[in-house]
Structure formats: C-alpha cells, structure tokens
Amino acid sequence: MSAAEAAAVTVTAAAAEADRVLAGLPSPAGRGPAAREAADAAKDTARAARSRFLDAHVDAVYAHLTDGLTRALRLDELVEAAAAAFPGLVPTPERMAEERARPQADKEGHEIDQGILLRAVLRSPVAGPHLLDAMLRPTARATLLLPEFRRTGVLRTESVHLERRDGVARLTLCRDDRLNAEDGRQVDDMETAVDLALLDPAIRVGLVRGGEMAHPRYRGRRIFCAGINLKSLSSGGISLVDFLLRRELGYLRKLAHGIQAGDLGGTGTWHTRHAAKPWLAAVDGFAIGGGMQMLLVFDHVIAASDAYFSLPAAKEGIVPGAANFRLTRFAGPRLARQVILGGRRVRAAEPAARLLVDEVVEPEEMDAAIERGLDRLDGEAVLANRRMLHLAEEPEDGFRAYMAEFALQQALRIYGEDVIGKVGRFAAGSG
C-alpha cells in the first residue's frame, strides 16, 4: 500500500461519518436551522480531511489515476476514477446520479467535493498541466463524427449547426426557443463542433454567430447568447464538471489555443503542441453572461450597432467563468469591475464597447463585415502571430492557477443560499 493509499483511510472514515450524520437528517430542502447546522458541520469536517489529504498527496493521487501520467483523463473520467480508487474522496457516479435528479435547492452539494479535488489537481505544477492538455484532446464524439463531416461538411445538432463553406467553419448557435441559453447539451454540441472545425484540414478559419430565434419576443431576429440557462440551474441540470468546468477547459480554451497537435497524427506537427485556427464572432442582439465570456477568446469580434453586452454575475450570484481573469486585459480594471461587480450593461454604440469588440456596424451591414473579417483572418502569418499573442497574454500557469480556485469557488457559489433563491425565483417567473 502506498503512502497516499494509507493516508486516504482517514478521508474514507471522515466521509463515512458525514454520511451517517446526513442519513439521520431530513433532505436539504426540509431542514430547519438545527439540522442545517448539523449537516454543515459534518460536511465541513469531511471536506477539511479531503483538503488536508490532497495538500499532501495530490501528485501521488493523480499519478495513480493516470498510470504515471501515461493516460489522458478528461474531467468526468478523472473524478469517476478517483471515486473508485479513493473511496470518500469524491462522490461515486451513483451518488451523483441521485443528486442530478434533484432540484438545486434539495441537493447535498457533493459537487463541492469534486471541486476540492480539481482545485488540488489544477494547482499542482505536475498534475495541472497534464489535465489541461488532456482537456485539449478531441472528444470521442467528434472523432466518431469526423469522417462523415469531412465528407459532407455539415453537422446538425440540437444546439449547434456547423457548415464548412469556402474553407470557413460557419458555426451557428441554434437554440431558437431559449435565446441560445447555455446548458450541458449546448456545451457538448459546441465542443464537438469546435473539434470538427479544428480537425478538418479543409477549414482555415472559423465563425460563430447566433441564429434566428423562435422565442416570441425575438422571433425572426438573430441573437448571440443569453448566457447560462438559469431555469436549468434551478432544476439541478447545471453540472460543475460537465458544464461549468468543461466549457472553460474544453471548447473555450480550444477556440483560443486549439487542440493537441499529436491527435492529428503524422510528423508534421513537431513544431507546435497545439493545432489552432483563427476565429471570428459576430454578435447580433446581445451577448449576456456566458455569451460575453465567449467573446474574450476570439481573434476578431464584430457587433451590430444595436447589440449589448453584460455579465450579470452579481445578480445571479455566481462567478462569470474566466471573465474575471480575461476581462481586465481587454477593458481595464475599472470597467471590468463595473461590468462584473456592478452589472453594467455596455451597448455596442457607446465608446466603451470598442474595448470589447473590433468593429461595430449597422445590422444590415453585418453579413458584409463578417466576410471581410474572415478574409483578414485567413493567412499563415495570422496563425503564428495569434499563437505568440496568446503566449504573451495568457500564460498557462496563470490560467491554471485561476481555474484551480474557480473549480472550488464556483462549486461553493452554485450551492449558496442566495443563488438558489435567485434562480428559483427566476425559474418560477419564467415558467
């Protein structure tokens, strides 16, 4: 038995004691003050044991789970492997399935334990980079779909349509009944589409734009993205691992940095770790929350003059992804705080918007402006220079340190009483 496996016994015992206490209490939504206090104390004790254990043994744990860093495990695979190898460290898949069936207000918050593990892994200068690289590999779904996409140049999913035309990957967000609000389905479809665009050698540049809506208020109008689906969050459908972390470490980071070059095969990628392509975003209507976060990884952003941007993090009570890490670089510290902490809405027509987008054009001029922008991005020198820009602007160690803390802080936030109350009222009002 290794030192880590021996030390894990204390974590297993602490987790079992917490389970014993929780089993004797009503479900979370039915607990009074005394029961909530008892539950919180039991969970806090177990979480402190997990944190102490990982502070001392995270590299040994990660090496065990990845067979000495020879296996590339994605986030969901990593937490599942940890549950099997180190009982009590993170919840089992069966326990998480039970949690997912409950509304957010009636969950125990077992995802916080996943956040503790992932914070420790990402903090590690050994394990963290290995996990980041694993998340830049193409998904199994994209790999399966690639031959058909290369043949037809078309992918149609529930939330994304992708079409290859004249060397351009034209990716359209198409959740037309919900203003392209983000959920787990959208994250999976987006990562699949981005992977296909990056893997297809016939594609040189990518475009992301919102499609026309069927929503009564915006019927027939293009909308970029309304951000996280708060109704889905309230009902328990937003996952820390499969949504909140996957979107940041998966398709958003792939838009910026590309996919692992080794996954393309052959010897022609010896000169770079990542195979990337330039991307343009076109904003019609609005880019709210996650929609605005997306813009911070694009090489060129065009907005219609009647569009607006906002990050309503303070209103929703959660952390707006990696926007806290990136927005100051674009907008400066004062405007970033006004947007993130104060909920300031920036309209495309005002001067401050030029810190967020490259071009503002009249709505009827969007199509022409998009084609001009795509032409400018279509060049070998663009690829080399965007790589150097990303290296200068977003060093991996800084991003990794941010995401380590985000893994836990966002887990804590989605179980905060204020967040549960706010999204519950939103869901009731929108239903």
Side-chain angles (χ1 to χ4, degrees), residues 7-140:
V9 172
T10 61
V11 174
T12 303
E17 176 59 18
D19 287 344
R20 185 192 67 77
V21 172
L22 295 175
L25 299 173
S27 66
R31 289 172 189 162
R36 285 198 298 271
E37 184 176 345
D40 289 345
K43 288 187 279 191
D44 283 349
T45 298
R47 286 168 181 161
R50 293 182 181 103
S51 294
R52 287 193 299 270
F53 168 72
L54 289 166
D55 285 345
H57 300 288
V58 65
D59 284 339
V61 167
Y62 190 80
H64 178 84
L65 299 177
T66 60
D67 295 337
L69 279 69
T70 62
R71 297 171 61 209
L73 298 181
R74 287 174 62 86
L75 292 167
D76 57 332
E77 297 168 330
L78 183 67
V79 295
E80 185 170 340
F86 297 92
L89 184 58
V90 290
T92 63
E94 294 76 19
R95 175 161 287 182
M96 289 309 304
E98 294 174 3
E99 281 273 275
R100 283 193 294 272
R102 299 180 179 185
Q104 198 73 6
D106 204 29
K107 293 184 179 184
E108 289 288 1
H110 293 305
E111 288 177 296
I112 295 171
D113 304 321
Q114 294 176 330
I116 293 171
L117 170 65
L118 294 172
R119 177 182 64 167
V121 169
L122 288 166
R123 276 179 171 177
S124 164
V126 175
H130 190 268
L131 177 58
L132 290 183
D133 280 351
M135 289 301 294
L136 287 185
R137 294 198 168 193
T139 63

Side-chain angles (χ1 to χ4, degrees), residues 334-351:
R334 294 270 57 91
L335 180 58
R337 281 166 171 75
Q338 291 167 22
V339 171
I340 293 172
L341 303 181
R344 175 176 170 179
R345 178 180 293 185
V346 180
R347 298 192 176 278
E350 63 179 291

Side-chain angles (χ1 to χ4, degrees), residues 10 25 136 196 224 254 299 309 332 342 365 384 406 410:
T10 61
L25 299 173
L136 287 185
L196 290 174
F224 190 72
K254 287 174 176 177
D299 301 294
F309 318 91
E365 297 173 4
F406 174 82
Q410 189 74 305

Side-chain angles (χ1 to χ4, degrees), residues 360-384:
V360 177
V361 301
E362 294 304 310
E364 62 272 16
E365 297 173 4
M366 284 288 285
D367 290 346
I370 289 169
E371 298 308 317
R372 290 194 301 270
L374 291 171
D375 286 342
R376 286 194 295 270
L377 290 177
D378 189 1
E380 291 297 325
V382 171
L383 291 174

Side-chain angles (χ1 to χ4, degrees), residues 56-336:
H57 300 288
V58 65
D59 284 339
V61 167
Y62 190 80
H64 178 84
L65 299 177
T66 60
D67 295 337
L69 279 69
T70 62
R71 297 171 61 209
L73 298 181
R74 287 174 62 86
L75 292 167
D76 57 332
E77 297 168 330
L78 183 67
V79 295
E80 185 170 340
F86 297 92
L89 184 58
V90 290
T92 63
E94 294 76 19
R95 175 161 287 182
M96 289 309 304
E98 294 174 3
E99 281 273 275
R100 283 193 294 272
R102 299 180 179 185
Q104 198 73 6
D106 204 29
K107 293 184 179 184
E108 289 288 1
H110 293 305
E111 288 177 296
I112 295 171
D113 304 321
Q114 294 176 330
I116 293 171
L117 170 65
L118 294 172
R119 177 182 64 167
V121 169
L122 288 166
R123 276 179 171 177
S124 164
V126 175
H130 190 268
L131 177 58
L132 290 183
D133 280 351
M135 289 301 294
L136 287 185
R137 294 198 168 193
T139 63
R141 183 186 180 197
T143 302
L144 182 65
L145 292 172
L146 180 60
E148 179 69 7
F149 178 74
R150 289 190 64 179
R151 185 182 69 82
T152 65
V154 175
L155 172 75
R156 293 190 178 275
T157 70
E158 182 179 337
S159 55
V160 171
H161 291 170
L162 175 65
E163 179 183 2
R164 181 188 64 231
R165 192 165 73 247
D166 300 326
V168 177
R170 299 174 187 272
L171 195 160
T172 303
L173 305 172
C174 61
R175 297 298 284 274
D176 60 355
D177 60 334
R178 61 196 70 185
L179 306 178
N180 290 325
E182 299 175 295
D183 57 16
R185 174 76 275 155
Q186 191 261 14
V187 168
D188 189 49
D189 289 346
M190 279 292 291
E191 186 164 12
T192 300
V194 170
D195 280 351
L196 290 174
L198 291 169
L199 289 166
D200 186 348
I203 289 173
R204 301 184 304 276
V205 61
L207 163 70
V208 177
R209 191 179 187 185
E212 293 184 1
M213 296 294 103
H215 188 284
R217 187 174 176 183
Y218 298 93
R219 191 179 304 277
R221 293 176 54 189
R222 285 184 180 269
I223 295 296
F224 190 72
C225 178
I228 191 170
N229 189 322
L230 295 178
K231 190 172 184 179
S232 184
L233 176 58
S234 178
S235 66
I238 296 295
S239 160
L240 174 71
V241 167
D242 294 325
F243 178 94
L244 294 165
L245 288 172
R246 178 182 174 180
R247 74 185 294 274
E248 301 296 335
L249 301 184
Y251 85 82
L252 287 179
R253 192 157 177 265
K254 287 174 176 177
L255 286 170
H257 297 282
I259 55 174
Q260 278 281 27
D263 290 293
L264 300 178
T267 60
T269 55
W270 58 266
H271 50 81
T272 179
R273 290 175 57 207
H274 303 148
K277 294 173 184 176
W279 289 87
L280 183 149
V283 181
D284 305 273
F286 47 72
I288 299 174
M292 182 173 172
Q293 295 167 34
M294 288 171 61
L295 303 183
L296 303 179
V297 299
F298 283 88
D299 301 294
H300 194 80
V301 179
I302 301 172
S305 59
D306 57 354
Y308 67 87
F309 318 91
S310 68
L311 287 171
K315 181 178 180 181
E316 295 166 356
I318 58 178
V319 180
N324 306 57
F325 179 69
R326 296 182 173 123
L327 185 58
T328 298
R329 186 171 79 232
F330 286 86
R334 294 270 57 91
L335 180 58

